Amino acid sequence: MTAIPTILLNDNHGIPQLGLGMWQVPNAQAPDVIATALDAGYRSIDTAAAYQNETGAGEALRKTHIPRDRIYVTTKLWNADHGFDGALKAMDASLKRLGLAHVDLYLIHWPLPMRDRYLDTWRALIRLRDEGKAKSIGVSNFNTGHLRRLIDETGVIPAVNQIELHPHFPQAGLRAFHAKHGIVTESWSPLGQGTLFQDATLLRIAQKHGRTVAQIILRWHVELGLVAIPKSVTHSRIRENLALTGFRLDADDMAAIASLDRGAAGRIGPDPETFSMA
Ligand code: NAD
């Protein structure tokens, strides 16, 4: 994709529709991987305190000739830092590691409903946004119940909810809730962590368009109006995952991909209702 489309958030900031996922990218490799991605045309990176590569990401951002305001940086608050004071401190620590004055998007990584602190954490994120340390604030792995509570208690609607989403787990219910409330859906593990590459339906659609399965899946995210953050450290794949123009999925393709929905069994990652890793 030469020009990556931007999606408007409910706070009037824009987010690039494609970004580079950074989970499991070793810190030492992060500068090279990000430099490759920026060179290929990416303008968005998705890191997190938990990924332990914010320092490497910061190094890449200092080295590039691309101005800071042209690169969209997302990071996330880890589970151990929930609570009002914890969240304020965690943001400062992330900014220090990144070497930045602000991030574009700060997310609560997981809701941890069993600890019941996400409301206080969210209040801290509202303050961080007001102070300019995060241009936009959002959440990750929140279900409708958690989102409703945030909105009812604070009146501030998250700009983004970053959730597991791929053809085996398309999350139609949560997407509908997001659409109703003006929350942008961001897909994590958009490629299903590699579990979809041998799927016969996707292989057939890929052959039809003369594209790779990864490109078909990412085009599906784009056509659904989602933000996707595929991860790769392989230079050719980083470029491949951005080359999404020049073809469109038709109604038959979209219906065939919709039939891959496995419901709850399609989930690869943890269930947000029970995930509590500290
Ligand atoms: P993904 O769906 O992006 O799949 C990545 C895997 O697919 C990699 O191992 C890579 O080897 C392979 N791959 C990538 N491009 C390919 C291509 N063109 N051809 C063949 N193989 C290819 O999985 P992910 O890394 O789990 O998710 C992407 C990003 O989402 C993460 O890096 C992270 O930034 C974010 N994430 C967020 C959460 C959260 O809780 N918020 C959880 C998981 C991931």
Side-chain angles (χ1 to χ4, degrees):
M1 190 170 331
T2 35
I4 302 163
T6 295
I7 293 188
L8 195 64
L9 302 173
N10 61 21
D11 59 11
N12 279 326
H13 291 296
I15 183 170
Q17 212 174 355
L18 249 296
L20 181 73
M22 294 287 293
W23 182 41
Q24 293 178 322
V25 176
N27 192 53
Q29 216 182 341
D32 170 63
V33 171
I34 293 172
T36 301
L38 293 174
D39 201 37
Y42 287 74
R43 289 294 179 270
S44 171
I45 60 168
D46 181 80
T47 183
Y51 302 168
Q52 297 184 19
N53 54 26
E54 290 175 310
T55 314
E59 192 183 320
L61 296 170
R62 274 191 300 285
K63 281 185 180 161
T64 179
H65 64 279
I66 300 165
R68 166 70 187 94
D69 63 2
R70 305 281 291 279
I71 304 176
Y72 197 91
V73 180
T74 300
T75 195
K76 314 184 192 83
L77 169 134
W78 186 239
N79 296 346
D81 297 319
H82 266 276
F84 191 85
D85 294 338
L88 297 181
K89 284 195 193 114
M91 172 88 278
D92 283 340
S94 279
L95 289 175
K96 196 167 171 206
R97 285 189 292 270
L98 286 160
L100 297 177
H102 75 272
V103 291
D104 296 277
L105 180 62
Y106 196 40
L107 303 176
I108 303 177
H109 209 145
W110 291 89
L112 303 177
M114 69 299 292
R115 285 174 52 193
D116 197 19
R117 303 192 76 186
Y118 62 79
L119 271 179
D120 278 344
T121 309
W122 184 240
R123 291 189 178 102
L125 263 64
I126 295 167
R127 175 182 293 186
L128 291 166
R129 184 196 59 184
D130 293 346
E131 289 174 352
K133 291 181 177 175
K135 284 203 169 173
S136 298
I137 52 173
V139 294
S140 177
N141 300 301
F142 275 48
N143 288 339
T144 50
H146 314 136
L147 290 168
R148 261 201 201 97
R149 220 172 136 219
L150 282 194
I151 297 166
D152 289 350
E153 296 281 339
T154 69
V156 178
I157 302 174
V160 167
N161 188 15
Q162 185 185 111
I163 55 172
E164 179 180 344
L165 201 159
H166 44 75
H168 281 162
F169 195 55
Q171 298 252 38
L174 197 43
R175 274 195 282 131
F177 182 91
H178 291 167
K180 190 169 162 206
H181 293 272
I183 300 168
V184 165
T185 306
E186 185 169 24
S187 308
W188 66 251
S189 295
L191 298 169
Q193 290 178 16
T195 56
L196 292 150
F197 292 135
Q198 297 310 318
D199 179 89
T201 301
L202 292 168
L203 284 165
R204 180 180 55 74
I205 298 171
Q207 198 173 27
K208 170 176 156 185
H209 292 281
R211 299 286 174 152
T212 66
V213 168
Q215 289 170 326
I216 298 299
I217 300 170
L218 293 170
R219 184 73 219 179
W220 173 81
H221 287 275
V222 168
E223 291 192 13
L224 289 177
L226 311 171
V227 175
I229 45 170
K231 176 251 174 181
S232 178
V233 295
T234 309
H235 292 195
S236 59
R237 288 174 176 171
I238 288 173
R239 280 189 284 275
E240 173 188 328
N241 292 346
L242 205 63
L244 303 177
T245 49
F247 74 110
R248 293 194 73 87
L249 300 176
D250 60 31
D252 287 347
D253 300 331
M254 294 302 277
I257 299 174
S259 75
L260 303 179
D261 184 354
R262 292 184 176 174
R267 190 195 288 282
I268 299 168
D271 183 341
E273 294 296 344
T274 53
F275 185 69
S276 65
M277 185 194 281

